[in-house]
Amino acid sequence: MPTDDTKSDPRTLTTVLNAIDIIRALMHLNGAGVTELANHLGESKSTTYTYLKSLEKGGLVRKDDDRYRLSYDMLIFGEYVRNQSLLYTIGKSEVDNLAAETGQYAHLVVEESGRGHNLYKSKGEQAVGDGYQMAKFQQRDYLHITASGKAILAYLPRERVEMIIDRYGLPARTEQTITCKDRLFEELADIREQGFSHNNEEEIEGFQAIGAPIRSRDGTVLGSLSVSGPKSMFGEDSECQRIIDLVTKVANVIEVNVNMHRRSSEIVKDET
Amino acid sequence: MPTDDTKSDPRTLTTVLNAIDIIRALMHLNGAGVTELANHLGESKSTTYTYLKSLEKGGLVRKDDDRYRLSYDMLIFGEYVRNQSLLYTIGKSEVDNLAAETGQYAHLVVEESGRGHNLYKSKGEQAVGDGYQMAKFQQRDYLHITASGKAILAYLPRERVEMIIDRYGLPARTEQTITCKDRLFEELADIREQGFSHNNEEEIEGFQAIGAPIRSRDGTVLGSLSVSGPKSMFGEDSECQRIIDLVTKVANVIEVNVNMHRRSSEIVKDET
DNA sequence: TGTCAGTGTTCAATATATACGAACGCCCCA
DNA sequence: TGGGGCGTTCGTATATATTGAACACTGACA
């Protein structure tokens, strides 16, 4: 396998990066045969085969009839990571309540490497669509295009925001997406003043959202909460205000509980 | 790094298996520093460091302050695998209903490499404990110790059951766990006759469960459904019978819907 | 304030693992 | 019945991983 530029540092294990490429490709292709995968990655069939067999031996990949697929061990890792997050263990039921009270989708989001990861999503009774609609909300997304993302950006140090923009740019998803850096910084200042963020069809046409940050006692942003639904939901001022109040209230409840939990853990730690 | 026996096949990529070992270790140690991890795995610090940096570059691991941890990308893979499963996408809401109606825990399980994987769990109002209690139910478990596992074993070909027993044995979790092969096969025959399985404190002291298989039209077992709770729940015959009826009914609903969906997908496929 | 024991990180030399094409057997469809 | 697709195996050419020793840094403790 030729050494390519993204893997060029002689002090990284190319074999590990290749294996990860295969894992990601298996996800994007929804499972694949050896030949298909080899062509997709531009590698030889025999090499690809060796990787698949090794990943299978390691338990990350299974061969299901005619295709290699990611195994259920991936689910174990995923659940583990989720349960490691205080925001999730403490916030889950609150997010469910929020979805129930608003009838819409509620999302709990954390930042990692400059992008927003959906830690948990809950669907209210009146939320449009089911499996299909739910899939519209990516598991991971750019921070500038969602209400939850902007709520996080607003409380990150400016230099980190700059770095994130440098890395990913400000790609547009719809006509409304904020693609101008100055515009974004203005909005982040507004968010800090108001205490909540608003997504005005910047991610999906016809969809709006309200987000609020969840911060630790030292001011660091831990994540954010959001409610999203069809723009008609946010049209009437009274209803829109109700959602804003609910989102900020619930975000605050989670924030207080997380900080309480952290404080008590610290006390236990100090005593040992 | 010395070649050890489990990795001895010259045609498997040791680097890939080593990387997977590190991923698993990071989970079991709840994140780790370089030295701690190197000691745990019996490898040199520098080697371990190279792996961690490569995994970080690949996005599977993040360095969080002072420890290396699994990244949120793992959550992406996990959610992807879950959503690939028809049993989950179709069964989720049914499992929620079942948990609501019984007030207990409901689990949706699939088999992979001879073990049961929890595809989805739902917690009813009266279910004892919360985060802690929930954690009692592993993400993956041996098939002979749970109601859902036994429901699956009952409908696997006998030779596969034999292979699974040869591979993992019949380890005991409690006094009640079935550890005798003949005893197990008797019970599997009973399950086939009754159409449901019963876990009598074989996994956790004080906990019982009822399970039922979900099968495809050709008879293959796709997974299983179960409800579990404190033994007092299953003491009264009337209540126990109610749970049996509910579990078998809901398993059947999921079964019918999954098979309907599969049939219509096949038709679409044939038409192309 | 200085020392110590711990950490993560770098490097050059050594040891060993990975990559590939060509060939095989297999199955399905024409 | 043959051809084209697939997954799989193998020998060899070549690129890769492994290691201990050394360094910089941090925080604890005296």
Side-chain angles (χ1 to χ4, degrees):
Chain A
M1 197 177 284
T3 329
D4 84 37
D5 15 318
T6 63
K7 301 170 187 171
S8 54
D9 179 353
R11 297 200 133 65
T12 32
L13 305 174
T14 59
T15 309
V16 171
L17 294 182
N18 291 337
I20 295 174
D21 284 348
I22 288 189
I23 290 173
R24 295 193 193 279
L26 282 179
M27 180 168 80
H28 288 114
L29 298 173
N30 269 327
V34 178
T35 312
E36 182 184 357
L37 189 58
N39 291 340
H40 180 84
L41 295 168
E43 303 290 352
S44 77
K45 252 191 342 176
S46 47
T47 301
T48 305
Y49 177 74
T50 315
Y51 274 92
L52 285 171
K53 279 298 168 203
S54 305
L55 286 165
E56 188 182 27
K57 200 164 185 174
L60 263 46
V61 159
R62 69 173 200 272
K63 190 178 179 183
D64 159 40
D65 286 346
D66 53 345
R67 294 171 87 76
Y68 288 89
R69 300 177 187 280
L70 298 187
S71 78
Y72 288 108
D73 274 23
M74 288 299 190
L75 191 51
I76 298 181
F77 294 127
E79 282 299 304
Y80 160 77
V81 167
R82 201 204 294 275
N83 282 295
Q84 275 302 104
S85 163
L86 265 186
L87 231 51
Y88 172 73
T89 54
I90 290 177
K92 177 186 188 304
S93 58
E94 299 294 340
V95 177
D96 283 332
N97 292 343
L98 182 61
E101 285 192 53
T102 58
Q104 304 297 325
Y105 292 104
H107 290 225
L108 191 59
V109 174
V110 289
E111 179 264 346
E112 184 182 272
S113 346
R115 282 182 289 189
H117 289 250
N118 260 310
L119 207 49
Y120 185 64
K121 350 182 192 186
S122 190
K123 180 177 174 287
E125 289 290 334
Q126 300 153 53
V128 231
D130 35 32
Y132 168 71
Q133 201 70 30
M134 202 73 168
K136 279 200 177 180
F137 302 107
Q138 312 281 327
Q139 193 64 31
R140 175 179 67 186
D141 227 326
Y142 296 115
L143 292 167
H144 71 286
I145 62 169
T146 63
S148 40
K150 290 192 293 184
I152 291 174
L153 282 179
Y155 294 92
L156 286 178
R158 178 162 182 132
E159 74 217 41
R160 278 222 56 207
V161 180
E162 298 269 8
M163 278 179 55
I164 292 169
I165 297 173
D166 288 348
R167 179 158 172 196
Y168 300 108
L170 296 171
R173 213 30 88 64
T174 70
E175 291 281 317
Q176 319 305 325
T177 309
I178 300 170
T179 53
C180 162
K181 196 164 152 178
D182 293 340
R183 188 55 231 296
L184 180 62
F185 278 109
E186 278 171 32
E187 179 142 347
L188 297 184
D190 291 347
I191 293 168
R192 282 188 295 269
E193 230 169 81
Q194 297 173 142
F196 67 88
S197 60
H198 179 215
N199 175 339
N200 186 18
E201 306 187 52
E202 296 153 44
E203 183 187 13
I204 301 165
E205 305 276 0
F207 264 73
Q208 296 200 9
I210 298 293
I214 298 170
R215 304 168 71 199
S216 83
R217 270 178 300 129
D218 65 11
T220 320
V221 58
L222 303 171
S224 67
L225 183 67
S226 70
V227 164
S228 43
K231 64 179 171 187
S232 55
M233 278 295 297
F234 299 84
E236 283 177 52
D237 279 3
S238 61
E239 181 58 13
C240 186
Q241 190 58 50
R242 195 178 82 91
I243 294 175
I244 292 170
D245 292 345
L246 273 170
V247 173
T248 51
K249 191 198 79 184
V250 174
N252 195 251
V253 169
I254 297 175
E255 184 169 298
V256 168
N257 285 325
V258 168
N259 284 318
M260 260 182 28
H261 186 104
R262 290 183 140 207
R263 172 171 280 184
S264 56
S265 309
E266 277 162 25
I267 292 168
V268 171
K269 208 172 158 190
D270 288 350
E271 281 171 355
T272 48
Chain B
M1 198 178 284
T3 329
D4 83 38
D5 14 321
T6 64
K7 301 169 187 172
S8 53
D9 178 354
R11 293 201 130 71
T12 28
L13 305 173
T14 60
T15 310
V16 171
L17 294 181
N18 292 336
I20 295 174
D21 285 348
I22 288 189
I23 290 173
R24 294 193 193 278
L26 282 179
M27 180 169 79
H28 288 114
L29 299 172
N30 269 327
V34 179
T35 311
E36 182 183 357
L37 189 58
N39 292 339
H40 180 83
L41 296 168
E43 302 291 353
S44 76
K45 255 193 336 178
S46 46
T47 300
T48 306
Y49 177 75
T50 315
Y51 273 93
L52 285 170
K53 280 297 168 204
S54 305
L55 286 166
E56 188 182 27
K57 199 165 185 175
L60 264 45
V61 159
R62 70 173 199 271
K63 189 177 180 185
D64 158 41
D65 286 348
D66 53 345
R67 295 170 85 76
Y68 288 90
R69 301 178 186 279
L70 297 187
S71 79
Y72 288 108
D73 275 22
M74 288 298 189
L75 192 51
I76 298 181
F77 294 127
E79 282 300 304
Y80 159 77
V81 168
R82 201 202 294 274
N83 282 297
Q84 275 302 105
S85 164
L86 266 187
L87 232 50
Y88 172 74
T89 54
I90 291 177
K92 176 186 188 303
S93 57
E94 300 294 339
V95 177
D96 284 332
N97 293 344
L98 183 61
E101 285 192 52
T102 57
Q104 304 298 325
Y105 292 104
H107 291 225
L108 192 59
V109 174
V110 289
E111 179 264 346
E112 185 181 272
S113 346
R115 282 182 290 189
H117 288 250
N118 259 310
L119 206 50
Y120 184 63
K121 349 182 193 188
S122 190
K123 179 177 174 288
E125 288 291 334
Q126 301 151 54
V128 234
D130 36 32
Y132 168 72
Q133 201 71 28
M134 202 73 169
K136 278 200 178 178
F137 302 107
Q138 312 281 325
Q139 193 65 31
R140 175 179 68 188
D141 226 327
Y142 296 116
L143 292 166
H144 71 286
I145 63 168
T146 63
S148 40
K150 291 192 293 182
I152 292 175
L153 281 179
Y155 294 92
L156 286 178
R158 178 162 181 134
E159 74 216 42
R160 277 221 57 206
V161 180
E162 299 269 7
M163 278 180 55
I164 291 170
I165 297 174
D166 287 349
R167 178 158 173 196
Y168 300 109
L170 295 170
R173 215 29 90 64
T174 70
E175 292 281 319
Q176 319 305 323
T177 309
I178 300 170
T179 53
C180 162
K181 196 164 153 178
D182 293 341
R183 188 54 232 299
L184 181 62
F185 277 109
E186 279 171 31
E187 179 142 347
L188 297 185
D190 291 347
I191 293 168
R192 281 189 294 270
E193 230 168 80
Q194 298 173 139
F196 67 88
S197 60
H198 179 216
N199 174 339
N200 185 19
E201 305 187 53
E202 297 152 45
E203 183 186 12
I204 300 164
E205 305 274 1
F207 264 73
Q208 297 199 10
I210 298 293
I214 298 169
R215 302 167 73 200
S216 84
R217 269 177 302 128
D218 63 11
T220 320
V221 58
L222 302 171
S224 67
L225 183 67
S226 70
V227 164
S228 42
K231 62 179 171 188
S232 56
M233 278 295 297
F234 298 83
E236 283 177 52
D237 279 2
S238 62
E239 181 58 13
C240 186
Q241 190 57 48
R242 195 178 82 93
I243 293 175
I244 292 171
D245 293 344
L246 274 170
V247 173
T248 50
K249 191 197 79 183
V250 174
N252 194 251
V253 169
I254 297 175
E255 185 168 298
V256 168
N257 284 326
V258 169
N259 284 320
M260 260 181 32
H261 186 103
R262 288 182 142 208
R263 171 171 280 184
S264 57
S265 307
E266 277 162 25
I267 292 168
V268 171
K269 210 174 158 188
D270 287 350
E271 281 173 356
T272 47

